[in-house]
Amino acid sequence: MKISIIGSGFSSLAASCYLAKKGYDVTIFEKNTTIGGRARQLKKEGFTFDIGPTWYWMPDVFERFFSDFGKIPSDYYQLEKLNPAYSVYFGVDDYITIEDTIEKILIAFEIEEKGSSIKLQKFIDTAKSNYDIAIKDLVYNPGVSPLELVTFQTAKKVNQFFSNIKRDVRKEFKNDRLAKILEFPVLFLGAKPSDTPSFYSFMNYADFGMGTFHPKNGMYEVILAIACLAKELGVTIKTDSPIEKIIIDNGQAKGIISKGETILSDIVLSGADYHHTETLVDKTYRQYSENYWSKKTFAPSSLLFYVGFDKKLINVNHHTLFFDVDFDIHAEAIYDNPKWPENPLFYASFPSKTDVNSAPEGQEAGIFLIPLAPGLEDTPELREAYFEKIMTRFETLTSQKIKNHIIFKESFCINDFIKDYNSYKGNAYGMANTLTQTAFLRPKLKSKKVKNLFFTGQLTVPGPGVPPSLISGKLVADLITKHHSL
């Protein structure tokens, strides 16, 4: 049985492995010249940058994926646990460093605010309990029925679906700086802490309880690893192969058209942007209207810069967050009143702090990210203005001059997300995990209108992020296997 998969991001690659293992004849079609979807790589003048994800969290999800094939991650790539995991700037030379164990983090909290370590331990205990329920069990459900969420364990935590992270954190932690650090991990889920159910505190356990890792040579190594596994299992991967249309005959997917060529398939699985995929079928076969998509809460887009510096930078860690401006005002510019934020928070990653292969000797690779509302105007002038803004602040906050040490910079923003990934409104992380966009309330893995058409990735179940994308690939492969046993 032939399966055509559209896109080669984490979810598509994961799904291809599970399907090939079951004996299906699987071919992946990728529109770009390299695989990886949002997790591609940029190499320039001896520097190497991850274009997309830079955080490796939830190592157990990666381990579980590889173990399904009798493998372990270290068969393919080397992992290093970062210490410190990251630091957060609140002002000039004023930062809090998050180290690599909960014991060290408890001490850092206690130094910042007396008595806070006891509260933090209690908070993390709850977060771990949620993690055990969510990541070991709940997220491996296909989002078909509301009953998936009803278990003995979730029944005891039902109130956590109706409170939110911000309320819980602020109730316990009066120190604004500590509260911001605890609210930060849920930003990976694509919504404001005030719109994210309390149950998602499991992200805090992923952060403090499990730690932050770095695959040697960057996140792209993980893409190459899964692609290698896929090929070992017999998957064919074709790059430079954009899809023009999904062929439907009598309500049934029959194949795809790529570069004018018809490729007949028994099943079509799309890991491309969900909204875009639906534009590849005639209107009558679309499950969700433009109105539906326009009302959804999308995760932010981003303005990204990939910068080569001709010297080593000081006063920064591999991952460094800049929270020296008002988070709520920036969040408002993303979610409530979409516009370019006047004073944006930003994040910076310096992989060459850990990985000698990221930059030539004595130099530094820097990735800078500003979260933005999707769908904003994106011009070279705006990009330049914001680069200047964050570089000026960066110099002040970290007490060093860097502008005249820039060898080059490349940028990536809303227009690029649309052009390279057909991303709805140029979003970077898919659809946010709010209460009304959780589990069975997300767009479905299986088309309700077209037989043999399936979806995977950040806009469907279970949600945004790299580990959920791997899980999404497994879930859709299980669904396909269930409906089409060989």
Side-chain angles (χ1 to χ4, degrees), residues 188-219:
F188 285 114
L189 301 171
K192 289 192 291 189
S194 56
D195 289 335
T196 303
S198 304
F199 185 70
Y200 284 104
S201 71
F202 63 71
M203 292 295 288
N204 294 101
Y205 177 69
D207 179 3
F208 288 1
M210 302 182 91
T212 303
F213 295 78
H214 175 75
K216 190 180 176 189
N217 297 331
M219 286 294 283

mmCIF file of all heavy atoms in Angstrom, residues 188-219:
data_model
loop_
_atom_site.group_PDB
_atom_site.id
_atom_site.type_symbol
_atom_site.label_atom_id
_atom_site.label_comp_id
_atom_site.label_asym_id
_atom_site.label_seq_id
_atom_site.Cartn_x
_atom_site.Cartn_y
_atom_site.Cartn_z
ATOM 1 N N PHE A 188 6.142 28.115 25.022
ATOM 2 C CA PHE A 188 6.382 27.113 23.983
ATOM 3 C C PHE A 188 5.073 26.508 23.483
ATOM 4 O O PHE A 188 5.035 25.882 22.427
ATOM 5 C CB PHE A 188 7.284 25.992 24.507
ATOM 6 C CG PHE A 188 8.735 26.385 24.633
ATOM 7 C CD1 PHE A 188 9.349 26.455 25.872
ATOM 8 C CD2 PHE A 188 9.499 26.679 23.513
ATOM 9 C CE1 PHE A 188 10.692 26.804 25.997
ATOM 10 C CE2 PHE A 188 10.840 27.037 23.623
ATOM 11 C CZ PHE A 188 11.435 27.099 24.867
ATOM 12 N N LEU A 189 4.013 26.632 24.288
ATOM 13 C CA LEU A 189 2.715 26.088 23.884
ATOM 14 C C LEU A 189 1.919 27.095 23.065
ATOM 15 O O LEU A 189 0.830 26.789 22.594
ATOM 16 C CB LEU A 189 1.905 25.673 25.120
ATOM 17 C CG LEU A 189 2.568 24.611 26.003
ATOM 18 C CD1 LEU A 189 1.808 24.445 27.298
ATOM 19 C CD2 LEU A 189 2.666 23.287 25.262
ATOM 20 N N GLY A 190 2.479 28.297 22.912
ATOM 21 C CA GLY A 190 1.904 29.242 21.952
ATOM 22 C C GLY A 190 0.848 30.190 22.461
ATOM 23 O O GLY A 190 0.235 30.906 21.672
ATOM 24 N N ALA A 191 0.592 30.221 23.768
ATOM 25 C CA ALA A 191 -0.430 31.140 24.282
ATOM 26 C C ALA A 191 0.089 31.861 25.523
ATOM 27 O O ALA A 191 1.095 31.488 26.110
ATOM 28 C CB ALA A 191 -1.712 30.379 24.626
ATOM 29 N N LYS A 192 -0.657 32.900 25.925
ATOM 30 C CA LYS A 192 -0.294 33.625 27.145
ATOM 31 C C LYS A 192 -0.478 32.708 28.358
ATOM 32 O O LYS A 192 -1.383 31.874 28.365
ATOM 33 C CB LYS A 192 -1.222 34.845 27.321
ATOM 34 C CG LYS A 192 -0.979 35.959 26.344
ATOM 35 C CD LYS A 192 -1.708 37.236 26.761
ATOM 36 C CE LYS A 192 -3.213 37.104 26.637
ATOM 37 N NZ LYS A 192 -3.897 38.402 26.823
ATOM 38 N N PRO A 193 0.338 32.884 29.401
ATOM 39 C CA PRO A 193 0.137 32.097 30.631
ATOM 40 C C PRO A 193 -1.281 32.239 31.181
ATOM 41 O O PRO A 193 -1.814 31.298 31.759
ATOM 42 C CB PRO A 193 1.175 32.686 31.588
ATOM 43 C CG PRO A 193 2.253 33.227 30.694
ATOM 44 C CD PRO A 193 1.535 33.742 29.473
ATOM 45 N N SER A 194 -1.899 33.399 30.961
ATOM 46 C CA SER A 194 -3.262 33.608 31.471
ATOM 47 C C SER A 194 -4.308 32.861 30.644
ATOM 48 O O SER A 194 -5.457 32.734 31.057
ATOM 49 C CB SER A 194 -3.602 35.100 31.492
ATOM 50 O OG SER A 194 -3.441 35.646 30.203
ATOM 51 N N ASP A 195 -3.931 32.345 29.471
ATOM 52 C CA ASP A 195 -4.850 31.570 28.631
ATOM 53 C C ASP A 195 -4.475 30.095 28.554
ATOM 54 O O ASP A 195 -5.063 29.339 27.793
ATOM 55 C CB ASP A 195 -4.871 32.142 27.200
ATOM 56 C CG ASP A 195 -5.580 33.481 27.125
ATOM 57 O OD1 ASP A 195 -6.437 33.735 27.998
ATOM 58 O OD2 ASP A 195 -5.280 34.275 26.223
ATOM 59 N N THR A 196 -3.468 29.706 29.336
ATOM 60 C CA THR A 196 -2.997 28.323 29.298
ATOM 61 C C THR A 196 -3.459 27.598 30.554
ATOM 62 O O THR A 196 -3.155 28.029 31.663
ATOM 63 C CB THR A 196 -1.452 28.289 29.202
ATOM 64 O OG1 THR A 196 -1.046 29.016 28.041
ATOM 65 C CG2 THR A 196 -0.941 26.869 29.112
ATOM 66 N N PRO A 197 -4.215 26.490 30.400
ATOM 67 C CA PRO A 197 -4.722 25.780 31.585
ATOM 68 C C PRO A 197 -3.602 25.368 32.536
ATOM 69 O O PRO A 197 -2.496 25.016 32.118
ATOM 70 C CB PRO A 197 -5.414 24.545 30.980
ATOM 71 C CG PRO A 197 -5.776 24.945 29.587
ATOM 72 C CD PRO A 197 -4.695 25.885 29.138
ATOM 73 N N SER A 198 -3.929 25.388 33.838
ATOM 74 C CA SER A 198 -2.957 25.052 34.884
ATOM 75 C C SER A 198 -2.317 23.690 34.671
ATOM 76 O O SER A 198 -1.160 23.473 35.044
ATOM 77 C CB SER A 198 -3.645 25.028 36.248
ATOM 78 O OG SER A 198 -4.276 26.255 36.489
ATOM 79 N N PHE A 199 -3.070 22.785 34.090
ATOM 80 C CA PHE A 199 -2.556 21.427 33.876
ATOM 81 C C PHE A 199 -1.240 21.437 33.095
ATOM 82 O O PHE A 199 -0.395 20.563 33.262
ATOM 83 C CB PHE A 199 -3.617 20.597 33.142
ATOM 84 C CG PHE A 199 -3.237 19.151 32.975
ATOM 85 C CD1 PHE A 199 -3.186 18.300 34.072
ATOM 86 C CD2 PHE A 199 -2.918 18.637 31.727
ATOM 87 C CE1 PHE A 199 -2.821 16.972 33.934
ATOM 88 C CE2 PHE A 199 -2.552 17.306 31.576
ATOM 89 C CZ PHE A 199 -2.512 16.466 32.675
ATOM 90 N N TYR A 200 -1.062 22.463 32.256
ATOM 91 C CA TYR A 200 0.145 22.535 31.432
ATOM 92 C C TYR A 200 1.384 22.952 32.230
ATOM 93 O O TYR A 200 2.444 23.160 31.653
ATOM 94 C CB TYR A 200 -0.064 23.493 30.250
ATOM 95 C CG TYR A 200 -0.914 22.887 29.153
ATOM 96 C CD1 TYR A 200 -2.242 23.252 28.989
ATOM 97 C CD2 TYR A 200 -0.377 21.945 28.284
ATOM 98 C CE1 TYR A 200 -3.018 22.686 27.982
ATOM 99 C CE2 TYR A 200 -1.134 21.386 27.273
ATOM 100 C CZ TYR A 200 -2.456 21.752 27.125
ATOM 101 O OH TYR A 200 -3.212 21.194 26.134
ATOM 102 N N SER A 201 1.246 23.035 33.549
ATOM 103 C CA SER A 201 2.451 23.282 34.365
ATOM 104 C C SER A 201 3.462 22.157 34.183
ATOM 105 O O SER A 201 4.606 22.271 34.614
ATOM 106 C CB SER A 201 2.096 23.403 35.847
ATOM 107 O OG SER A 201 1.717 22.136 36.363
ATOM 108 N N PHE A 202 3.049 21.061 33.515
ATOM 109 C CA PHE A 202 4.030 19.995 33.257
ATOM 110 C C PHE A 202 5.228 20.518 32.471
ATOM 111 O O PHE A 202 6.316 19.952 32.512
ATOM 112 C CB PHE A 202 3.397 18.774 32.572
ATOM 113 C CG PHE A 202 2.820 18.999 31.201
ATOM 114 C CD1 PHE A 202 3.640 19.219 30.109
ATOM 115 C CD2 PHE A 202 1.439 18.930 30.989
ATOM 116 C CE1 PHE A 202 3.114 19.389 28.835
ATOM 117 C CE2 PHE A 202 0.907 19.107 29.724
ATOM 118 C CZ PHE A 202 1.744 19.330 28.642
ATOM 119 N N MET A 203 5.050 21.662 31.784
ATOM 120 C CA MET A 203 6.183 22.274 31.090
ATOM 121 C C MET A 203 7.241 22.748 32.083
ATOM 122 O O MET A 203 8.432 22.772 31.770
ATOM 123 C CB MET A 203 5.714 23.446 30.226
ATOM 124 C CG MET A 203 4.863 23.042 29.032
ATOM 125 S SD MET A 203 5.760 22.043 27.823
ATOM 126 C CE MET A 203 6.863 23.244 27.092
ATOM 127 N N ASN A 204 6.809 23.144 33.289
ATOM 128 C CA ASN A 204 7.777 23.555 34.316
ATOM 129 C C ASN A 204 8.595 22.368 34.811
ATOM 130 O O ASN A 204 9.761 22.515 35.164
ATOM 131 C CB ASN A 204 7.066 24.221 35.500
ATOM 132 C CG ASN A 204 6.424 25.540 35.109
ATOM 133 O OD1 ASN A 204 5.217 25.609 34.889
ATOM 134 N ND2 ASN A 204 7.220 26.581 34.990
ATOM 135 N N TYR A 205 7.961 21.199 34.826
ATOM 136 C CA TYR A 205 8.737 20.009 35.196
ATOM 137 C C TYR A 205 9.733 19.675 34.077
ATOM 138 O O TYR A 205 10.884 19.318 34.339
ATOM 139 C CB TYR A 205 7.820 18.810 35.475
ATOM 140 C CG TYR A 205 8.631 17.573 35.781
ATOM 141 C CD1 TYR A 205 9.354 17.479 36.960
ATOM 142 C CD2 TYR A 205 8.714 16.521 34.861
ATOM 143 C CE1 TYR A 205 10.147 16.370 37.236
ATOM 144 C CE2 TYR A 205 9.508 15.406 35.128
ATOM 145 C CZ TYR A 205 10.214 15.341 36.313
ATOM 146 O OH TYR A 205 11.007 14.260 36.582
ATOM 147 N N ALA A 206 9.306 19.825 32.836
ATOM 148 C CA ALA A 206 10.228 19.600 31.711
ATOM 149 C C ALA A 206 11.442 20.518 31.851
ATOM 150 O O ALA A 206 12.579 20.112 31.605
ATOM 151 C CB ALA A 206 9.506 19.854 30.387
ATOM 152 N N ASP A 207 11.180 21.753 32.265
ATOM 153 C CA ASP A 207 12.237 22.760 32.404
ATOM 154 C C ASP A 207 13.125 22.466 33.618
ATOM 155 O O ASP A 207 14.301 22.124 33.490
ATOM 156 C CB ASP A 207 11.555 24.131 32.529
ATOM 157 C CG ASP A 207 12.518 25.295 32.716
ATOM 158 O OD1 ASP A 207 13.744 25.080 32.706
ATOM 159 O OD2 ASP A 207 12.038 26.429 32.875
ATOM 160 N N PHE A 208 12.559 22.551 34.810
ATOM 161 C CA PHE A 208 13.355 22.442 36.040
ATOM 162 C C PHE A 208 13.675 20.987 36.413
ATOM 163 O O PHE A 208 14.735 20.700 36.955
ATOM 164 C CB PHE A 208 12.620 23.085 37.219
ATOM 165 C CG PHE A 208 12.568 24.591 37.171
ATOM 166 C CD1 PHE A 208 13.136 25.307 36.130
ATOM 167 C CD2 PHE A 208 11.940 25.297 38.189
ATOM 168 C CE1 PHE A 208 13.086 26.693 36.091
ATOM 169 C CE2 PHE A 208 11.893 26.691 38.172
ATOM 170 C CZ PHE A 208 12.462 27.391 37.123
ATOM 171 N N GLY A 209 12.743 20.095 36.174
ATOM 172 C CA GLY A 209 12.898 18.715 36.624
ATOM 173 C C GLY A 209 13.763 17.872 35.707
ATOM 174 O O GLY A 209 14.462 16.964 36.158
ATOM 175 N N MET A 210 13.696 18.139 34.413
ATOM 176 C CA MET A 210 14.411 17.295 33.452
ATOM 177 C C MET A 210 15.615 17.995 32.840
ATOM 178 O O MET A 210 16.605 17.366 32.488
ATOM 179 C CB MET A 210 13.454 16.857 32.339
ATOM 180 C CG MET A 210 12.262 16.103 32.880
ATOM 181 S SD MET A 210 11.167 15.552 31.584
ATOM 182 C CE MET A 210 11.846 13.940 31.260
ATOM 183 N N GLY A 211 15.506 19.304 32.657
ATOM 184 C CA GLY A 211 16.655 20.059 32.176
ATOM 185 C C GLY A 211 16.648 20.318 30.680
ATOM 186 O O GLY A 211 15.776 19.868 29.943
ATOM 187 N N THR A 212 17.652 21.066 30.262
ATOM 188 C CA THR A 212 17.800 21.497 28.877
ATOM 189 C C THR A 212 19.043 20.838 28.290
ATOM 190 O O THR A 212 20.104 20.849 28.912
ATOM 191 C CB THR A 212 17.938 23.041 28.819
ATOM 192 O OG1 THR A 212 16.794 23.623 29.454
ATOM 193 C CG2 THR A 212 18.022 23.536 27.385
ATOM 194 N N PHE A 213 18.883 20.293 27.090
ATOM 195 C CA PHE A 213 19.979 19.557 26.454
ATOM 196 C C PHE A 213 20.360 20.202 25.125
ATOM 197 O O PHE A 213 19.611 21.027 24.588
ATOM 198 C CB PHE A 213 19.554 18.096 26.216
ATOM 199 C CG PHE A 213 19.304 17.341 27.492
ATOM 200 C CD1 PHE A 213 18.116 17.504 28.207
ATOM 201 C CD2 PHE A 213 20.253 16.469 27.996
ATOM 202 C CE1 PHE A 213 17.885 16.824 29.394
ATOM 203 C CE2 PHE A 213 20.029 15.773 29.184
ATOM 204 C CZ PHE A 213 18.845 15.948 29.876
ATOM 205 N N HIS A 214 21.513 19.806 24.627
ATOM 206 C CA HIS A 214 21.956 20.272 23.308
ATOM 207 C C HIS A 214 22.514 19.081 22.525
ATOM 208 O O HIS A 214 23.456 18.432 22.992
ATOM 209 C CB HIS A 214 23.040 21.351 23.440
ATOM 210 C CG HIS A 214 23.609 21.781 22.113
ATOM 211 N ND1 HIS A 214 22.923 22.595 21.240
ATOM 212 C CD2 HIS A 214 24.791 21.479 21.495
ATOM 213 C CE1 HIS A 214 23.663 22.797 20.151
ATOM 214 N NE2 HIS A 214 24.786 22.118 20.278
ATOM 215 N N PRO A 215 21.917 18.784 21.357
ATOM 216 C CA PRO A 215 22.514 17.739 20.528
ATOM 217 C C PRO A 215 23.754 18.310 19.834
ATOM 218 O O PRO A 215 23.696 19.419 19.288
ATOM 219 C CB PRO A 215 21.424 17.418 19.499
ATOM 220 C CG PRO A 215 20.244 18.273 19.846
ATOM 221 C CD PRO A 215 20.709 19.355 20.754
ATOM 222 N N LYS A 216 24.866 17.576 19.888
ATOM 223 C CA LYS A 216 26.092 18.047 19.235
ATOM 224 C C LYS A 216 25.787 18.335 17.764
ATOM 225 O O LYS A 216 25.157 17.547 17.082
ATOM 226 C CB LYS A 216 27.179 16.979 19.350
ATOM 227 C CG LYS A 216 28.542 17.478 18.907
ATOM 228 C CD LYS A 216 29.600 16.415 19.030
ATOM 229 C CE LYS A 216 30.915 16.957 18.482
ATOM 230 N NZ LYS A 216 31.928 15.917 18.383
ATOM 231 N N ASN A 217 26.235 19.502 17.296
ATOM 232 C CA ASN A 217 25.978 20.018 15.935
ATOM 233 C C ASN A 217 24.565 20.574 15.762
ATOM 234 O O ASN A 217 24.189 20.926 14.653
ATOM 235 C CB ASN A 217 26.260 18.973 14.852
ATOM 236 C CG ASN A 217 27.728 18.557 14.842
ATOM 237 O OD1 ASN A 217 28.596 19.345 15.205
ATOM 238 N ND2 ASN A 217 27.987 17.320 14.466
ATOM 239 N N GLY A 218 23.791 20.653 16.856
ATOM 240 C CA GLY A 218 22.504 21.345 16.787
ATOM 241 C C GLY A 218 21.301 20.437 16.589
ATOM 242 O O GLY A 218 21.420 19.234 16.370
ATOM 243 N N MET A 219 20.117 21.046 16.673
ATOM 244 C CA MET A 219 18.854 20.313 16.556
ATOM 245 C C MET A 219 18.715 19.620 15.201
ATOM 246 O O MET A 219 17.982 18.637 15.068
ATOM 247 C CB MET A 219 17.673 21.266 16.760
ATOM 248 C CG MET A 219 17.462 21.703 18.184
ATOM 249 S SD MET A 219 16.978 20.372 19.324
ATOM 250 C CE MET A 219 15.255 20.168 18.915
#
